[in-house]
């Protein structure tokens, strides 16, 4: 009986044990199945991610190839200069325009390419640290005339190198040359009658062809004045055509504005002395930074402003020129004790062919183009120009209050 | 001794005015009506100074100037260009070829031109 009971207990125990094992097995199976499922999901996710990455890679590669193909087949010549000042890319057009094979120049420092005649004139600008886009005209040896544009390649605020664009402007230059020749010839033909009138009347007025009456002399003087207006007009028209010829070509060079102003003051020294004008040039004692801009044109603009100040300031008057730095810009001020600008004509002062009434009375000759050009040039160089008239307290002294004009020019340092 | 000035100018009227003005100031004047005649006269007369127009029949002023400056026998003779051309390229070209000065006719009276001539002799 006891044995039977024991055997029953053993059987039940065995059953429980078996059941426990079965439960454990089932649990483990369920657990592993769950894990496997998770792994499968993870595997699928991984596969999707991989496929996506491959797709993206492919797309990026395709985009890169498209971009490269675009750059390669771009009609203008393109060259990329990297941070190490090496040519890291050159497209087919640039190779052709410069008549050079890429294998010779790729990944080599620009300093070692100076012996290549078609590259040499461009090297300095190619490796310049620039903040904006600059253009320069250059001519490949026995090749086309090129317009070279250099723009910095910016990445996350840093400059990674320069992109050089080369454009064949030979045809434009030829047509520009023809236009220039035509204008030159036209100007020549227009000047013939004016010079004939000027020469003969000035000699007649001096009595070289016999004595003339006071009345005749007065009439001759008036004709000569009108003739001078025509001479100025022809000169002005020539200046317009010259300016429009070259307006898309910008020739930037590091420029010391203080020395430009000083050279202009020296140039006008005799006139200043003759008119007994007190001219003062104030600039900081420290050397001002050079600015990269079109020096020749800026010089013309500043000359025009100084020329006006001298022209419209009476004998014994005063001119003050100030040059200083303010808010990251260079500021030039030309203040005079001259005739000033009438209130009702201030708006027109920078317009083409405009001359203020009082300016016309003071100085008969003038085309009315000077300040129009000045504004154009200053703005081409990213600067600003404005004026105040009367110059007010600009010149300080009581005697010049409510008189004169002050012209202000600012030019960005970068 | 009076200085000899050769005027190479095809415009008869202007040439006459200039000759009169220079003559009245004591200069001896020779005249050439075109570039070719100018070439002959500068070699024959060896003037002290040449006033040269640019747009001339036959040999133009630039060509005339280039030849003068290449000929050692006459290259030292100062040449003042007196023309109604006057674009920057023309002025640069003339001065590069060796002209002493470049005067635009319409901007100077004969009296002022004489002053420039006198200055060239100083």
């Amino acid at each position: 009986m006891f044995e039977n009971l024991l055997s029953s207990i053993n059987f039940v125990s065995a059953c429980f044990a078996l059941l426990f094992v079965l439960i454990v097995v089932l649990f483990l199976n369920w657990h592993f199945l769950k894990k496997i499922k998770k792994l499968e999901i993870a595997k699928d996710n991984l596969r999707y991610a991989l496929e996506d990455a491959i797709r993206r890679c492919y797309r990026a590669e395709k985009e890169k190839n498209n971009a490269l193909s675009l750059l390669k087949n771009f009609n203008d010549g393109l060259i990329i200069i990297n941070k190490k000042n090496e040519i890291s890319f050159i497209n087919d057009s640039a190779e052709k325009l410069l008549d050079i094979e890429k294998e010779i120049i790729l990944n080599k420092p620009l300093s070692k390419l100076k012996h290549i005649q078609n590259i040499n004139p461009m090297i300095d600008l190619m490796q310049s640290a620039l903040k904006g886009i600059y253009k320069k005209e250059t001519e490949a040896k026995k090749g086309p005339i090129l317009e070279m544009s250099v723009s910095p390649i910016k990445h996350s605020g840093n400059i990674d190198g320069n992109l050089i664009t080369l454009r064949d402007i030979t045809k434009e230059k030829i047509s520009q040359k023809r236009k220039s020749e035509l204008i030159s010839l036209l100007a020549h033909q227009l000047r013939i009658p004016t010079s004939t009138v000027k020469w003969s009347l000035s000699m007649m007025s001096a009595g070289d062809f016999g004595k003339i009456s006071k009345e005749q002399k007065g009439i001759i003087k008036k004709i000569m004045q009108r003739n001078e207006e025509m001479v100025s007009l022809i000169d002005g028209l020539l200046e317009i055509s010259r300016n429009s010829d070259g307006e898309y070509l910008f020739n930037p060079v590091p420029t010391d504005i203080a020395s430009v102003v000083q050279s202009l003051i020296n140039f006008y020294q005799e006139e200043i002395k003759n008119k007994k004008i007190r001219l003062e040039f104030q600039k900081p004692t420290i050397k001002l930074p050079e600015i990269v801009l079109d020096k020749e044109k800026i010089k013309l603009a500043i000359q025009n402003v100084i020329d006006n100040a001298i022209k419209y300031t009476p004998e014994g008057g005063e001119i003050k020129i100030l040059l200083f730095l303010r808010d990251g810009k260079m500021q030039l001020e030309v203040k005079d004790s001259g005739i000033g600008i009438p209130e009702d004509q201030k708006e027109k002062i920078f317009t083409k062919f405009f001359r203020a009434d009082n300016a016309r009375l003071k100085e008969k000759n003038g085309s009315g183009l000077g300040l129009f050009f000045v504004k154009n040039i200053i703005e081409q160089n990213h600067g600003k120009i404005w004026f105040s008239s009367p110059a007010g307290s600009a010149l300080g002294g009581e005697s010049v209050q409510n008189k004169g004009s002050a012209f202000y020019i600012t030019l960005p340092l970068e | 001794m009076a200085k000899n000035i050769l005027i190479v100018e095809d415009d008869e009227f202007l040439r006459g005015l200039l000759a009169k003005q220079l003559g009245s100031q004591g200069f001896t004047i020779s005249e050439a009506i075109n570039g070719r005649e100018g070439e002959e006269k500068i070699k024959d007369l060896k003037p002290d100074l040449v006033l040269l127009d640019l747009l001339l029949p036959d040999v133009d002023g630039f060509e005339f100037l280039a030849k003068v400056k290449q000929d050692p026998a006459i290259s030292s003779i100062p040449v003042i260009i007196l023309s109604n051309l006057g674009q920057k390229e023309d002025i640069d070209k003339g001065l590069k070829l060796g002209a002493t000065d470049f005067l635009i006719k319409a901007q100077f009276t004969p009296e002022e031109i004489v002053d420039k001539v006198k200055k060239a002799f100083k």
Side-chain angles (χ1 to χ4, degrees), chain B residues 80-85 101-105 108 113 116:
Chain B
I80 294 179
I81 292 175
L82 188 56
S83 172
N84 271 322
L85 287 179
D101 208 343
F102 194 118
L103 309 179
I104 297 170
K105 286 178 193 167
F108 293 89
I113 294 165
K116 290 276 182 187

Side-chain angles (χ1 to χ4, degrees), chain A residues 250-294:
Chain A
F250 191 61
N251 188 19
V253 286
T255 305
D256 177 2
I257 299 288
S259 73
V260 167
V261 174
Q262 190 56 59
S263 72
L264 289 168
I265 293 172
N266 297 344
F267 177 78
Y268 284 108
Q269 211 46 250
E270 210 176 316
E271 220 168 323
I272 293 164
K273 206 174 146 191
N274 288 344
K275 284 185 86 174
K276 297 183 183 71
I277 290 171
R278 293 187 306 281
L279 188 142
E280 190 188 340
F281 178 27
Q282 273 185 18
K283 58 177 179 179
T285 43
I286 49 149
K287 190 170 161 52
L288 291 165
E290 290 191 332
I291 314 180
V292 179
L293 38 72
D294 197 324

Side-chain angles (χ1 to χ4, degrees), chain A residues 180-181 183-185 187-188 191-192 194-196 198-200 202-203 208-209 228 231 235 238 242, chain B residues 11 13-14 17-18 20-21 55 82-90 104-110 113:
Chain A
S180 171
E181 282 167 0
I183 289 166
S184 175
L185 200 65
H188 179 268
R191 277 176 179 149
I192 290 173
T194 55
S195 46
T196 309
K198 182 171 186 157
W199 288 21
S200 45
S202 74
M203 287 175 74
D208 289 338
F209 303 118
E228 281 308 302
V231 171
D235 291 344
L238 264 178
R242 244 201 300 272
Chain B
D11 187 315
F13 184 62
L14 290 182
L17 291 176
L18 207 53
K20 186 174 170 63
Q21 184 75 31
L55 290 186
L82 188 56
S83 172
N84 271 322
L85 287 179
Q87 294 235 65
K88 192 179 176 296
E89 303 79 58
D90 303 319
I104 297 170
K105 286 178 193 167
Q107 293 176 355
F108 293 89
T109 61
I113 294 165

Side-chain angles (χ1 to χ4, degrees), chain B:
Chain B
M1 207 176 113
K3 300 272 187 196
N4 188 3
I5 314 279
L6 172 63
I7 303 171
V8 187
E9 165 69 66
D10 62 331
D11 187 315
E12 192 186 349
F13 184 62
L14 290 182
R15 196 173 65 241
L17 291 176
L18 207 53
K20 186 174 170 63
Q21 184 75 31
L22 284 161
S24 73
Q25 296 293 311
F27 293 102
T28 308
I29 308 299
S30 313
E31 297 176 31
I33 60 166
N34 56 44
R36 202 160 312 280
E37 195 183 338
E39 282 179 351
E40 286 162 14
K41 289 202 170 168
I42 192 171
K43 282 178 192 160
D44 291 348
L45 305 169
K46 303 246 172 22
D48 297 298
L49 186 138
V50 178
L51 281 172
L52 174 69
D53 187 19
L54 286 176
L55 290 186
L56 294 164
D58 301 331
V59 178
D60 78 20
F62 288 125
E63 202 181 332
F64 171 89
L65 182 58
K67 283 182 184 167
V68 167
K69 293 298 164 187
Q70 277 163 16
D71 184 344
I74 48 173
S75 64
S76 61
I77 298 172
V79 177
I80 294 179
I81 292 175
L82 188 56
S83 172
N84 271 322
L85 287 179
Q87 294 235 65
K88 192 179 176 296
E89 303 79 58
D90 303 319
I91 297 172
D92 289 347
K93 190 176 172 184
L95 296 178
K96 212 174 166 183
L97 283 171
T100 307
D101 208 343
F102 194 118
L103 309 179
I104 297 170
K105 286 178 193 167
Q107 293 176 355
F108 293 89
T109 61
E111 206 181 338
E112 288 164 339
I113 294 165
V114 170
D115 285 344
K116 290 276 182 187
V117 169
K118 284 180 181 168
K119 228 175 181 175
F121 286 128
K122 274 181 187 169

Side-chain angles (χ1 to χ4, degrees), chain A residues 104-136:
Chain A
I104 301 172
I105 56 167
L106 262 186
N107 302 317
K108 285 187 187 147
L110 289 172
S111 57
K112 292 198 173 160
L113 301 176
K114 286 184 177 167
H115 64 285
I116 302 172
Q117 278 175 327
N118 286 350
I119 300 264
N120 184 292
M122 304 178 179
I123 287 181
D124 283 348
L125 197 55
M126 274 180 170
Q127 56 191 6
S128 301
L130 302 171
K131 294 278 156 97
I133 299 170
Y134 285 106
K135 289 182 179 180
K136 185 192 175 184

